[in-house]
Amino acid sequence: MPVATSPTLNGLNASVIKVTRTTNPRPVPLPGSPEELSHSYCTDHMVTVRWTATHGWETPEVRPFQNLSIPPTASVLHYATECFEGMKVYRGHDGKLRLFRPDCNGERLSNSAKRASLPEFEYEELKKLIAKLMQVDGARWLPKSQPEAFLYLRPTLIANGPNLGVQIPNEALLFIIAVPWPDPSKAPAQAHPTAKPGLKLLASPPDTIRAWPGGFGYAKLGANYGPSLQAHGHAKAQGLDQVLWLFGPERLVTEAGASNFFIVWRNAESKKLEMVTPGLENQLILPGVTRRSVLELARERLSADTAGGLEAVEVVERQFGIDEIEKAWKEGRIVEAFVSGTAYFISPVSTIRDGGVDMDMAQPAAGKAGYAAQIREWLGAIMFGNEDHPWAYVIEEESEK
Ligand SMILES: *Cc1c(COP(=O)(O)O)cnc(C)c1O
């Protein structure tokens, strides 16, 4: 066999993972407890994998949860060389643990890594690393006696090497943590119980944009989020929930907070119903896994008058400005608006504030399921195993005897 003259880099390989169990398990927080609401209390273990430019990916580890130790000169702290994913692991009605389309997240993380000069990887390995973590933490943190419980998963890739020079990182760390997360569908009573349920969005002012052509809005980089928090703070200060990010002189609608945006309206000419979301063509918008799933389900199940008595919708991906929303609102053509994403799932939008104008988004009549509710039900059935579907990835757990 010829000896390789240049070192070959190791690929990411979950099957060689090394597992070290904690001797000091922590209490599992109760639903709705301060620990859960803190969004900071993690399960007993985490996955870590080191990467170096000389060797590639090292042996992955499941190890007791602990703080990271990184040099103050680390690239990530200065140059935002970081990307991440947001996923959930679901305990099904049949007692099984599932991930939802995890290869979509794996592929997106690898794409984000590329944009931030971080190492790409064999993306199918991500779900296998998560499975290893859940084989250790799943039984206690998502007990089989609690179907419909879930944990939020945060796979993260950082350049943790010590070199302060502005350069492509030659060291990186992939880690995965699992966080108990409040269930948005079981949220505590609203501060204003008489208010219509649903999110209130603040249209971004012209002097603040989230992403731009040639930028990195399409990648889940930490660098997209820090600078957006100021606008988020302005929305919160007005009693609103999220920013509706607009772009350019046409004030094109892009997305809302860390969710994709959908509107169902009646087309003024054809009089047909349309479910519209902005297209991904100029790389401004994060290609949500939930967004893609909503589009695929809606095209498959809502394009003819069949489902639950809902009128058929034509599913459309195209650019549109906030002026089109305003026109449809004035003409009474809006049927529903909602946002989609892993963290807050499918959430209806009740209001969009643009400058001094509050536009009320219509909602289904009381007792009638609308489009958002129907899609939420379909997706939930896949996530929690009521429906066998290729989008669900079942995590094999050791059967307890
Ligand atoms: C994560 C994210 C979304 C939603 O993506 P999902 O894959 O559906 O969770 C949408 N927009 C932004 C900006 C995001 O960060």
Side-chain angles (χ1 to χ4, degrees), residues 8-312:
T8 46
L9 296 183
N10 290 319
L12 182 60
N13 182 358
S15 70
V16 298
I17 201 159
K18 182 181 146 204
V19 178
T20 311
R21 284 176 186 260
T22 182
T23 52
N24 194 8
R26 19 181 22 206
V28 177
L30 292 171
S33 61
E35 289 82 8
E36 189 191 65
L37 295 174
S38 77
H39 297 99
S40 66
Y41 191 98
C42 297
T43 64
D44 289 312
H45 297 87
M46 65 197 288
V47 172
T48 60
V49 199
R50 222 170 84 89
W51 175 90
T52 63
T54 40
H55 294 108
W57 293 97
E58 298 184 356
T59 307
E61 290 192 48
V62 171
R63 53 160 70 185
F65 178 85
Q66 61 183 106
N67 287 342
L68 300 175
S69 172
I70 60 173
T73 51
S75 172
V76 60
L77 299 177
H78 303 275
Y79 312 123
T81 39
E82 189 261 11
C83 58
F84 65 95
E85 272 304 315
M87 306 168 71
K88 283 177 178 169
V89 52
Y90 306 89
R91 177 64 77 186
H93 290 281
D94 55 0
K96 291 184 183 164
L97 284 183
R98 286 180 180 78
L99 301 174
F100 182 75
R101 309 188 82 177
D103 284 340
C104 296
N105 297 91
E107 193 171 8
R108 188 170 68 188
L109 184 61
S110 191
N111 287 339
S112 298
K114 185 175 178 183
R115 187 65 181 84
S117 299
L118 287 160
E120 295 171 73
F121 57 90
E122 292 69 10
Y123 67 78
E124 307 85 352
E125 296 301 298
L126 183 71
K127 65 175 182 288
K128 299 181 197 166
L129 292 173
I130 294 170
K132 299 283 181 193
L133 178 62
M134 283 305 124
Q135 284 158 6
V136 178
D137 277 344
R140 213 165 73 78
W141 290 79
L142 286 177
K144 288 194 177 167
S145 58
Q146 285 170 27
E148 288 200 15
F150 60 83
L151 294 168
Y152 184 78
L153 300 166
R154 175 52 66 87
T156 310
L157 185 52
I158 60 172
N160 61 335
N163 195 320
L164 193 56
V166 180
Q167 62 174 42
I168 288 183
N170 53 20
E171 246 182 274
L173 180 74
L174 170 65
F175 63 87
I176 307 172
I177 50 175
V179 194
W181 197 262
D183 185 341
S185 71
K186 298 183 181 123
Q190 291 186 297
H192 306 287
T194 50
K196 271 207 318 183
L199 297 171
K200 300 182 202 65
L201 307 181
L202 177 63
S204 61
D207 64 354
T208 311
I209 55 175
R210 186 192 98 93
W212 46 90
F216 41 89
Y218 67 92
K220 231 170 162 73
L221 306 188
N224 274 319
Y225 301 84
S228 76
L229 298 178
Q230 191 186 31
H232 182 68
H234 290 155
K236 285 286 190 192
Q238 295 185 33
L240 310 178
D241 300 296
Q242 295 287 347
V243 176
L244 180 65
W245 291 103
L246 307 182
F247 175 75
E250 307 96 323
R251 308 191 71 218
L252 299 175
V253 173
T254 64
E255 54 189 322
S259 307
N260 295 111
F261 179 80
F262 287 81
I263 190 158
V264 181
W265 62 29
R266 195 165 293 285
N267 184 296
E269 279 91 52
S270 73
K271 310 286 181 228
K272 294 201 172 126
L273 280 192
E274 290 175 347
M275 181 181 288
V276 191
T277 195
L280 301 177
E281 53 278 353
N282 44 19
Q283 300 199 317
L284 295 175
I285 295 178
L286 201 285
V289 178
T290 324
R291 172 189 183 279
R292 173 175 168 180
S293 306
V294 169
L295 289 172
E296 290 173 17
L297 282 182
R299 286 192 172 118
E300 183 192 325
R301 302 185 186 178
L302 288 172
S303 53
D305 299 74
T306 46
L310 287 170
E311 186 180 335

